[in-house]
Amino acid sequence: MHFRHLAKAIRGHRDVVIPTETVNLVVERLQSANIKDAKARQEHIQGIREVKRQLEALVCPRCGGELKRRKGQRGEFYGCSNYPRCRFTRSV
Ligand SMILES: [Zn+2]
């Protein structure tokens, strides 16, 4: 999620459910985690695009194995063909 979308999403909530101190702590964490360096930001975005591309091609982003459709107790999901060596899963 882009920072500007996050701010809009947060503004959509009006009821106070989290104490101000906790909110300030979260703000501090988010600001320190925000990537300010342009090159690092670009690499971060490229990394996300690469993972997205792999998931669409049904390739495990952790080990490069094939993602296969499986049936579990809580419904269908994609699991890595290298299970149990790789336990990567994603929702269908
Ligand atoms: Zn895998």
Side-chain angles (χ1 to χ4, degrees):
M1 180 185 281
H2 196 279
F3 194 71
R4 65 171 177 261
H5 297 140
L6 179 68
K8 198 183 175 196
I10 291 168
R11 267 189 242 113
H13 298 276
R14 290 272 163 220
D15 300 337
V16 177
V17 288
I18 303 169
T20 307
E21 303 144 37
T22 310
V23 171
N24 288 339
L25 195 75
V26 170
V27 168
E28 221 170 85
R29 288 261 174 90
L30 287 173
Q31 282 176 342
S32 68
N34 189 26
I35 304 168
K36 292 173 188 87
D37 178 67
K39 190 170 175 274
R41 180 186 288 261
Q42 195 55 38
E43 283 169 5
H44 174 70
I45 292 167
Q46 288 297 324
I48 291 169
R49 287 200 178 124
E50 176 61 16
V51 168
K52 197 174 169 225
R53 195 189 60 74
Q54 287 180 336
L55 290 175
E56 281 165 1
L58 297 181
V59 173
C60 175
R62 276 193 205 149
C63 74
E66 190 189 344
L67 294 180
K68 295 198 166 190
R69 210 174 167 118
R70 310 253 189 233
K71 261 188 193 138
Q73 286 182 326
R74 282 176 283 167
E76 285 192 285
F77 64 98
Y78 284 104
C80 183
S81 57
N82 289 326
Y83 179 88
R85 216 156 17 96
C86 174
R87 294 173 177 267
F88 179 83
T89 60
R90 62 158 265 216
S91 54
V92 173

